[in-house]
Amino acid sequence: SLQITSLNPQTGQWGNIITISGLNFSGITGLFFNNVLSPNFAVINNFTLTGKVPATGQGYTRGYITIYGTGGMSAQSPVIYKPIIPISDIQPRSGQIGSIVHINTPVMDTGFLRKEGNGYLVSFGQQTGVFYIEQNIGLSGLLPTGAIGQDYVYIYERSGNGTYPPYSGTFYQIGPAPF
C-alpha cells in the first residue's frame, strides 16, 4: 500500500518544490496539499516523488499532503506542511520603534493572512504588530514596541492555533527607541 514517511522541507514558499519520501510510489495519479491539487509532480522512483506547492490564490495549502494512486489507493503525510508567506522586500531595511515599515509581498489574497482587528498580524522576532493593506505593495504598519536587535520578520498565516508563524527569511535591523 501507499505510504508517506517524510516531507523535505516541511515548510516553504508557494511555488517551491518539495521532496516526499515513502513507499510504493509507482502509479501515483495525484498530489494534494490540504485538498489543493499540486500543479506539477514527478515520481522519481518507488520511494521518492517531488511536488510543486500550489500558488497563492489556488487555495489554502497548510495541512496534510495526500497522494493518490491507481485503484483508489491513497496515503496522507504524517506531518502538516506549513507554507511561508513570501516577502520580496522590506522598506526601509532598518528603523526605530514606532517608525513606518512597508512589507512587499505578492500575497494580496488576504484569505491567507491572520486577521487581527482591521489589519493583519506581523511580528519582528517575538514582538507582534498589526499591519494594513497598502495598495499595490503589500502591508504597512508601525515597528512594534519591544522589538530589539536584528531578527526575522514574520507574516502570520491563517492557522487554527497561530502558534507557529512561518518566517520569511528576511532580517530586519531594529535601531534604538527614539528619546
Side-chain angles (χ1 to χ4, degrees), residues 51-109:
K52 187 173 186 178
V53 180
T56 179
Q58 293 185 306
Y60 185 63
T61 57
R62 177 191 173 95
Y64 292 102
I65 291 178
T66 306
I67 55 174
Y68 292 91
T70 55
M73 295 191 330
S74 67
Q76 189 176 71
S77 61
V79 295
I80 290 175
Y81 180 81
K82 301 173 185 120
I84 295 172
I85 296 172
I87 293 176
S88 53
D89 194 18
I90 298 176
Q91 291 297 327
R93 295 305 295 250
S94 63
Q96 297 178 337
I97 301 301
S99 60
I100 294 176
V101 179
H102 305 278
I103 301 174
N104 297 51
T105 175
V107 180
M108 294 311 299
D109 181 347

Short mmCIF file of all heavy atoms in Angstrom, two decimals, residues 51-109:
data_model
loop_
_atom_site.label_atom_id
_atom_site.label_comp_id
_atom_site.label_asym_id
_atom_site.label_seq_id
_atom_site.Cartn_x
_atom_site.Cartn_y
_atom_site.Cartn_z
N GLY A 51 7.06 17.46 -5.67
CA GLY A 51 5.82 18.16 -5.98
C GLY A 51 5.98 19.65 -5.80
O GLY A 51 6.75 20.12 -4.96
N LYS A 52 5.22 20.39 -6.60
CA LYS A 52 5.24 21.85 -6.53
C LYS A 52 4.11 22.31 -5.61
O LYS A 52 2.96 21.89 -5.76
CB LYS A 52 5.07 22.45 -7.92
CG LYS A 52 5.24 23.94 -7.98
CD LYS A 52 5.23 24.41 -9.42
CE LYS A 52 5.55 25.89 -9.50
NZ LYS A 52 5.60 26.33 -10.90
N VAL A 53 4.44 23.20 -4.66
CA VAL A 53 3.45 23.74 -3.74
C VAL A 53 2.51 24.67 -4.52
O VAL A 53 2.99 25.55 -5.23
CB VAL A 53 4.13 24.51 -2.59
CG1 VAL A 53 3.09 25.07 -1.63
CG2 VAL A 53 5.11 23.61 -1.86
N PRO A 54 1.20 24.48 -4.42
CA PRO A 54 0.27 25.34 -5.15
C PRO A 54 0.46 26.81 -4.79
O PRO A 54 0.75 27.15 -3.64
CB PRO A 54 -1.11 24.85 -4.70
CG PRO A 54 -0.89 23.46 -4.23
CD PRO A 54 0.50 23.45 -3.65
N ALA A 55 0.30 27.68 -5.78
CA ALA A 55 0.50 29.12 -5.59
C ALA A 55 -0.67 29.74 -4.84
O ALA A 55 -1.77 29.20 -4.81
CB ALA A 55 0.66 29.80 -6.94
N THR A 56 -0.41 30.90 -4.24
CA THR A 56 -1.47 31.63 -3.57
C THR A 56 -2.60 31.93 -4.55
O THR A 56 -2.36 32.11 -5.73
CB THR A 56 -0.94 32.94 -2.95
OG1 THR A 56 -2.02 33.60 -2.33
CG2 THR A 56 -0.35 33.86 -3.97
N GLY A 57 -3.81 31.95 -4.04
CA GLY A 57 -4.97 32.17 -4.90
C GLY A 57 -5.60 30.88 -5.36
O GLY A 57 -6.72 30.87 -5.85
N GLN A 58 -4.89 29.75 -5.21
CA GLN A 58 -5.42 28.47 -5.63
C GLN A 58 -6.02 27.69 -4.47
O GLN A 58 -6.45 26.58 -4.64
CB GLN A 58 -4.33 27.62 -6.29
CG GLN A 58 -3.85 28.19 -7.61
CD GLN A 58 -2.87 27.25 -8.26
OE1 GLN A 58 -1.87 26.86 -7.65
NE2 GLN A 58 -3.14 26.87 -9.48
N GLY A 59 -5.99 28.28 -3.30
CA GLY A 59 -6.49 27.58 -2.14
C GLY A 59 -5.50 27.68 -1.00
O GLY A 59 -4.37 28.14 -1.19
N TYR A 60 -5.91 27.27 0.15
CA TYR A 60 -5.07 27.38 1.32
C TYR A 60 -4.34 26.07 1.54
O TYR A 60 -4.97 25.04 1.70
CB TYR A 60 -5.94 27.73 2.53
CG TYR A 60 -5.13 27.99 3.75
CD1 TYR A 60 -4.23 29.04 3.78
CD2 TYR A 60 -5.25 27.17 4.84
CE1 TYR A 60 -3.46 29.26 4.90
CE2 TYR A 60 -4.49 27.40 5.97
CZ TYR A 60 -3.60 28.45 5.99
OH TYR A 60 -2.83 28.67 7.09
N THR A 61 -3.01 26.09 1.53
CA THR A 61 -2.24 24.85 1.45
C THR A 61 -1.62 24.37 2.76
O THR A 61 -0.88 23.41 2.75
CB THR A 61 -1.13 24.99 0.39
OG1 THR A 61 -0.30 26.09 0.73
CG2 THR A 61 -1.70 25.18 -0.98
N ARG A 62 -1.91 25.01 3.89
CA ARG A 62 -1.39 24.49 5.16
C ARG A 62 -2.21 23.27 5.52
O ARG A 62 -3.43 23.34 5.63
CB ARG A 62 -1.50 25.52 6.26
CG ARG A 62 -1.03 24.99 7.61
CD ARG A 62 -1.42 25.96 8.72
NE ARG A 62 -1.13 25.42 10.02
CZ ARG A 62 -0.02 25.63 10.71
NH1 ARG A 62 0.93 26.38 10.20
NH2 ARG A 62 0.16 25.09 11.89
N GLY A 63 -1.56 22.16 5.71
CA GLY A 63 -2.29 20.95 6.08
C GLY A 63 -1.54 19.70 5.64
O GLY A 63 -0.37 19.75 5.26
N TYR A 64 -2.22 18.59 5.70
CA TYR A 64 -1.61 17.32 5.33
C TYR A 64 -1.49 17.20 3.81
O TYR A 64 -2.29 17.75 3.07
CB TYR A 64 -2.45 16.16 5.87
CG TYR A 64 -2.41 16.07 7.38
CD1 TYR A 64 -3.47 16.53 8.14
CD2 TYR A 64 -1.30 15.55 8.02
CE1 TYR A 64 -3.43 16.46 9.52
CE2 TYR A 64 -1.26 15.48 9.41
CZ TYR A 64 -2.32 15.95 10.15
OH TYR A 64 -2.28 15.88 11.51
N ILE A 65 -0.48 16.48 3.40
CA ILE A 65 -0.29 16.17 1.98
C ILE A 65 -0.86 14.79 1.75
O ILE A 65 -0.64 13.86 2.53
CB ILE A 65 1.20 16.24 1.61
CG1 ILE A 65 1.66 17.70 1.68
CG2 ILE A 65 1.45 15.62 0.23
CD1 ILE A 65 3.12 17.90 1.39
N THR A 66 -1.62 14.66 0.67
CA THR A 66 -2.23 13.38 0.32
C THR A 66 -1.82 13.01 -1.10
O THR A 66 -1.81 13.86 -2.00
CB THR A 66 -3.77 13.46 0.39
OG1 THR A 66 -4.14 13.94 1.69
CG2 THR A 66 -4.40 12.11 0.15
N ILE A 67 -1.45 11.75 -1.28
CA ILE A 67 -1.17 11.24 -2.63
C ILE A 67 -2.22 10.18 -2.96
O ILE A 67 -2.74 9.50 -2.09
CB ILE A 67 0.25 10.64 -2.76
CG1 ILE A 67 0.49 9.56 -1.70
CG2 ILE A 67 1.30 11.74 -2.69
CD1 ILE A 67 1.82 8.84 -1.86
N TYR A 68 -2.53 10.11 -4.25
CA TYR A 68 -3.50 9.13 -4.73
C TYR A 68 -2.82 8.27 -5.78
O TYR A 68 -2.04 8.76 -6.59
CB TYR A 68 -4.73 9.82 -5.33
CG TYR A 68 -5.54 10.53 -4.28
CD1 TYR A 68 -5.30 11.87 -3.98
CD2 TYR A 68 -6.52 9.86 -3.57
CE1 TYR A 68 -6.03 12.52 -3.00
CE2 TYR A 68 -7.27 10.50 -2.59
CZ TYR A 68 -7.02 11.83 -2.31
OH TYR A 68 -7.74 12.46 -1.34
N GLY A 69 -3.15 6.98 -5.76
CA GLY A 69 -2.58 6.04 -6.71
C GLY A 69 -3.66 5.29 -7.46
O GLY A 69 -4.86 5.51 -7.25
N THR A 70 -3.23 4.42 -8.32
CA THR A 70 -4.18 3.61 -9.09
C THR A 70 -5.00 2.73 -8.16
O THR A 70 -4.57 2.37 -7.07
CB THR A 70 -3.42 2.75 -10.11
OG1 THR A 70 -2.45 1.97 -9.40
CG2 THR A 70 -2.73 3.60 -11.15
N GLY A 71 -6.19 2.42 -8.59
CA GLY A 71 -7.06 1.55 -7.81
C GLY A 71 -7.67 2.23 -6.59
O GLY A 71 -8.15 1.56 -5.69
N GLY A 72 -7.63 3.58 -6.54
CA GLY A 72 -8.24 4.30 -5.43
C GLY A 72 -7.43 4.34 -4.16
O GLY A 72 -7.92 4.78 -3.12
N MET A 73 -6.18 3.86 -4.20
CA MET A 73 -5.34 3.90 -3.00
C MET A 73 -4.92 5.33 -2.71
O MET A 73 -4.76 6.15 -3.61
CB MET A 73 -4.10 3.02 -3.18
CG MET A 73 -4.43 1.55 -3.33
SD MET A 73 -2.98 0.44 -3.25
CE MET A 73 -1.65 1.40 -3.87
N SER A 74 -4.74 5.64 -1.41
CA SER A 74 -4.26 6.97 -1.02
C SER A 74 -3.44 6.85 0.26
O SER A 74 -3.52 5.86 0.98
CB SER A 74 -5.43 7.93 -0.81
OG SER A 74 -6.19 7.55 0.31
N ALA A 75 -2.64 7.89 0.50
CA ALA A 75 -1.84 7.97 1.72
C ALA A 75 -1.72 9.43 2.12
O ALA A 75 -1.68 10.32 1.27
CB ALA A 75 -0.45 7.37 1.51
N GLN A 76 -1.67 9.67 3.43
CA GLN A 76 -1.56 11.03 3.97
C GLN A 76 -0.24 11.18 4.70
O GLN A 76 0.24 10.24 5.33
CB GLN A 76 -2.73 11.29 4.92
CG GLN A 76 -2.85 12.73 5.37
CD GLN A 76 -4.08 12.92 6.22
OE1 GLN A 76 -4.13 12.45 7.35
NE2 GLN A 76 -5.08 13.61 5.68
N SER A 77 0.33 12.40 4.62
CA SER A 77 1.61 12.66 5.30
C SER A 77 1.44 12.56 6.81
O SER A 77 0.39 12.88 7.35
CB SER A 77 2.14 14.04 4.90
OG SER A 77 1.23 15.05 5.30
N PRO A 78 2.52 12.14 7.50
CA PRO A 78 2.46 12.05 8.96
C PRO A 78 2.55 13.41 9.65
O PRO A 78 2.27 13.53 10.83
CB PRO A 78 3.66 11.17 9.32
CG PRO A 78 4.62 11.39 8.21
CD PRO A 78 3.78 11.63 6.97
N VAL A 79 2.95 14.44 8.91
CA VAL A 79 3.09 15.79 9.46
C VAL A 79 2.37 16.79 8.57
O VAL A 79 2.10 16.51 7.41
CB VAL A 79 4.58 16.20 9.61
CG1 VAL A 79 5.29 15.32 10.62
CG2 VAL A 79 5.29 16.16 8.26
N ILE A 80 2.10 17.97 9.12
CA ILE A 80 1.43 19.04 8.38
C ILE A 80 2.47 19.85 7.63
O ILE A 80 3.52 20.20 8.17
CB ILE A 80 0.63 19.94 9.34
CG1 ILE A 80 -0.58 19.17 9.87
CG2 ILE A 80 0.20 21.23 8.67
CD1 ILE A 80 -1.37 19.93 10.91
N TYR A 81 2.18 20.17 6.36
CA TYR A 81 3.01 21.07 5.58
C TYR A 81 2.60 22.50 5.92
O TYR A 81 1.41 22.82 5.94
CB TYR A 81 2.86 20.82 4.08
CG TYR A 81 3.72 21.75 3.27
CD1 TYR A 81 5.07 21.47 3.09
CD2 TYR A 81 3.20 22.92 2.73
CE1 TYR A 81 5.88 22.33 2.38
CE2 TYR A 81 4.01 23.78 2.02
CZ TYR A 81 5.33 23.49 1.85
OH TYR A 81 6.14 24.35 1.16
N LYS A 82 3.59 23.38 6.21
CA LYS A 82 3.30 24.75 6.62
C LYS A 82 3.88 25.73 5.59
O LYS A 82 5.09 25.91 5.52
CB LYS A 82 3.92 25.03 7.98
CG LYS A 82 3.42 24.11 9.07
CD LYS A 82 4.19 24.33 10.35
CE LYS A 82 3.78 23.33 11.39
NZ LYS A 82 4.87 22.50 11.83
N PRO A 83 3.02 26.38 4.80
CA PRO A 83 3.53 27.34 3.82
C PRO A 83 4.03 28.62 4.48
O PRO A 83 3.52 29.04 5.51
CB PRO A 83 2.32 27.62 2.93
CG PRO A 83 1.15 27.38 3.82
CD PRO A 83 1.56 26.28 4.75
N ILE A 84 5.03 29.22 3.87
CA ILE A 84 5.56 30.51 4.30
C ILE A 84 4.98 31.58 3.38
O ILE A 84 4.97 31.41 2.17
CB ILE A 84 7.09 30.55 4.20
CG1 ILE A 84 7.71 29.54 5.16
CG2 ILE A 84 7.62 31.94 4.48
CD1 ILE A 84 9.20 29.38 4.97
N ILE A 85 4.51 32.67 3.96
CA ILE A 85 4.05 33.79 3.15
C ILE A 85 5.30 34.54 2.68
O ILE A 85 6.07 35.04 3.51
CB ILE A 85 3.11 34.69 3.94
CG1 ILE A 85 1.85 33.88 4.30
CG2 ILE A 85 2.76 35.94 3.15
CD1 ILE A 85 0.91 34.57 5.23
N PRO A 86 5.52 34.61 1.37
CA PRO A 86 6.77 35.21 0.88
C PRO A 86 6.82 36.73 1.07
O PRO A 86 5.81 37.41 0.95
CB PRO A 86 6.78 34.85 -0.60
CG PRO A 86 5.36 34.59 -0.94
CD PRO A 86 4.68 34.11 0.30
N ILE A 87 8.02 37.21 1.40
CA ILE A 87 8.29 38.64 1.48
C ILE A 87 9.36 38.93 0.43
O ILE A 87 10.42 38.34 0.45
CB ILE A 87 8.78 39.05 2.88
CG1 ILE A 87 7.65 38.88 3.90
CG2 ILE A 87 9.29 40.48 2.88
CD1 ILE A 87 8.08 39.17 5.33
N SER A 88 9.04 39.85 -0.49
CA SER A 88 10.01 40.16 -1.54
C SER A 88 10.94 41.30 -1.13
O SER A 88 12.07 41.38 -1.59
CB SER A 88 9.32 40.49 -2.86
OG SER A 88 8.35 41.49 -2.68
N ASP A 89 10.46 42.19 -0.25
CA ASP A 89 11.31 43.30 0.19
C ASP A 89 10.69 43.96 1.42
O ASP A 89 9.48 43.85 1.64
CB ASP A 89 11.46 44.34 -0.93
CG ASP A 89 12.58 45.33 -0.67
OD1 ASP A 89 13.47 45.04 0.17
OD2 ASP A 89 12.58 46.41 -1.29
N ILE A 90 11.52 44.63 2.20
CA ILE A 90 11.08 45.42 3.34
C ILE A 90 11.74 46.78 3.22
O ILE A 90 12.96 46.86 3.02
CB ILE A 90 11.47 44.76 4.68
CG1 ILE A 90 10.79 43.40 4.82
CG2 ILE A 90 11.11 45.66 5.84
CD1 ILE A 90 11.20 42.64 6.06
N GLN A 91 10.95 47.85 3.33
CA GLN A 91 11.49 49.20 3.23
C GLN A 91 10.99 50.04 4.39
O GLN A 91 9.80 50.03 4.66
CB GLN A 91 11.08 49.84 1.90
CG GLN A 91 11.73 49.23 0.69
CD GLN A 91 13.24 49.40 0.70
OE1 GLN A 91 13.77 50.41 1.19
NE2 GLN A 91 13.94 48.42 0.16
N PRO A 92 11.85 50.75 5.07
CA PRO A 92 13.31 50.65 4.98
C PRO A 92 13.79 49.35 5.62
O PRO A 92 13.01 48.66 6.27
CB PRO A 92 13.79 51.86 5.78
CG PRO A 92 12.70 52.08 6.79
CD PRO A 92 11.42 51.69 6.11
N ARG A 93 15.05 49.01 5.43
CA ARG A 93 15.60 47.75 5.97
C ARG A 93 15.96 47.85 7.45
O ARG A 93 16.33 46.87 8.06
CB ARG A 93 16.84 47.32 5.17
CG ARG A 93 16.57 46.95 3.72
CD ARG A 93 15.50 45.87 3.60
NE ARG A 93 15.90 44.62 4.16
CZ ARG A 93 16.17 43.53 3.46
NH1 ARG A 93 16.06 43.54 2.17
NH2 ARG A 93 16.52 42.43 4.07
N SER A 94 15.91 49.04 7.99
CA SER A 94 16.15 49.22 9.41
C SER A 94 15.34 50.41 9.88
O SER A 94 14.92 51.24 9.07
CB SER A 94 17.64 49.45 9.69
OG SER A 94 18.08 50.64 9.09
N GLY A 95 15.07 50.47 11.17
CA GLY A 95 14.28 51.58 11.68
C GLY A 95 14.17 51.55 13.19
O GLY A 95 14.68 50.64 13.84
N GLN A 96 13.51 52.55 13.72
CA GLN A 96 13.32 52.67 15.16
C GLN A 96 11.90 52.28 15.53
O GLN A 96 11.00 52.31 14.68
CB GLN A 96 13.62 54.10 15.60
CG GLN A 96 15.06 54.51 15.35
CD GLN A 96 15.32 55.95 15.77
OE1 GLN A 96 14.41 56.76 15.84
NE2 GLN A 96 16.58 56.26 16.04
N ILE A 97 11.70 51.96 16.80
CA ILE A 97 10.37 51.61 17.30
C ILE A 97 9.39 52.72 16.92
O ILE A 97 9.68 53.90 17.09
CB ILE A 97 10.40 51.44 18.84
CG1 ILE A 97 11.39 50.34 19.25
CG2 ILE A 97 8.99 51.16 19.38
CD1 ILE A 97 11.11 48.98 18.67
N GLY A 98 8.25 52.33 16.39
CA GLY A 98 7.22 53.30 16.01
C GLY A 98 7.35 53.85 14.61
O GLY A 98 6.46 54.55 14.14
N SER A 99 8.45 53.52 13.90
CA SER A 99 8.60 54.01 12.52
C SER A 99 7.77 53.14 11.57
O SER A 99 7.48 51.99 11.85
CB SER A 99 10.07 54.05 12.12
OG SER A 99 10.64 52.76 12.18
N ILE A 100 7.41 53.72 10.44
CA ILE A 100 6.59 53.01 9.45
C ILE A 100 7.45 52.03 8.66
O ILE A 100 8.55 52.36 8.22
CB ILE A 100 5.91 53.99 8.49
CG1 ILE A 100 4.90 54.85 9.26
CG2 ILE A 100 5.20 53.25 7.36
CD1 ILE A 100 4.23 55.92 8.43
N VAL A 101 6.93 50.82 8.49
CA VAL A 101 7.62 49.77 7.74
C VAL A 101 6.68 49.30 6.62
O VAL A 101 5.49 49.07 6.86
CB VAL A 101 7.98 48.57 8.65
CG1 VAL A 101 8.67 47.48 7.85
CG2 VAL A 101 8.84 49.02 9.82
N HIS A 102 7.21 49.18 5.42
CA HIS A 102 6.46 48.68 4.26
C HIS A 102 6.98 47.29 3.93
O HIS A 102 8.19 47.10 3.76
CB HIS A 102 6.64 49.59 3.05
CG HIS A 102 6.30 51.02 3.34
ND1 HIS A 102 5.01 51.50 3.33
CD2 HIS A 102 7.08 52.07 3.67
CE1 HIS A 102 5.01 52.79 3.63
NE2 HIS A 102 6.27 53.16 3.84
N ILE A 103 6.08 46.31 3.86
CA ILE A 103 6.46 44.93 3.54
C ILE A 103 5.87 44.59 2.18
O ILE A 103 4.65 44.57 2.01
CB ILE A 103 5.93 43.95 4.60
CG1 ILE A 103 6.49 44.31 5.99
CG2 ILE A 103 6.29 42.51 4.22
CD1 ILE A 103 5.92 43.48 7.12
N ASN A 104 6.77 44.35 1.22
CA ASN A 104 6.32 43.97 -0.12
C ASN A 104 6.11 42.46 -0.14
O ASN A 104 7.02 41.71 0.17
CB ASN A 104 7.36 44.36 -1.17
CG ASN A 104 7.56 45.86 -1.23
OD1 ASN A 104 7.80 46.50 -0.21
ND2 ASN A 104 7.47 46.40 -2.41
N THR A 105 4.90 42.05 -0.51
CA THR A 105 4.59 40.63 -0.60
C THR A 105 3.63 40.41 -1.76
O THR A 105 2.74 41.22 -1.99
CB THR A 105 3.97 40.09 0.71
OG1 THR A 105 3.58 38.74 0.50
CG2 THR A 105 2.78 40.90 1.17
N PRO A 106 3.85 39.35 -2.53
CA PRO A 106 2.92 39.05 -3.63
C PRO A 106 1.59 38.48 -3.13
O PRO A 106 0.67 38.29 -3.90
CB PRO A 106 3.69 38.02 -4.45
CG PRO A 106 4.60 37.36 -3.49
CD PRO A 106 4.97 38.41 -2.49
N VAL A 107 1.48 38.21 -1.83
CA VAL A 107 0.27 37.60 -1.28
C VAL A 107 -0.72 38.69 -0.93
O VAL A 107 -0.70 39.23 0.16
CB VAL A 107 0.60 36.73 -0.05
CG1 VAL A 107 -0.67 36.11 0.50
CG2 VAL A 107 1.60 35.67 -0.41
N MET A 108 -1.56 39.04 -1.87
CA MET A 108 -2.57 40.06 -1.61
C MET A 108 -3.94 39.43 -1.39
O MET A 108 -4.91 40.12 -1.15
CB MET A 108 -2.62 41.08 -2.75
CG MET A 108 -1.34 41.89 -2.84
SD MET A 108 -0.78 42.59 -1.27
CE MET A 108 -2.14 43.64 -0.85
N ASP A 109 -4.04 38.12 -1.51
CA ASP A 109 -5.27 37.42 -1.17
C ASP A 109 -5.28 37.29 0.34
O ASP A 109 -4.63 36.43 0.92
CB ASP A 109 -5.31 36.05 -1.83
CG ASP A 109 -6.58 35.29 -1.52
OD1 ASP A 109 -7.33 35.70 -0.60
OD2 ASP A 109 -6.83 34.28 -2.18
#
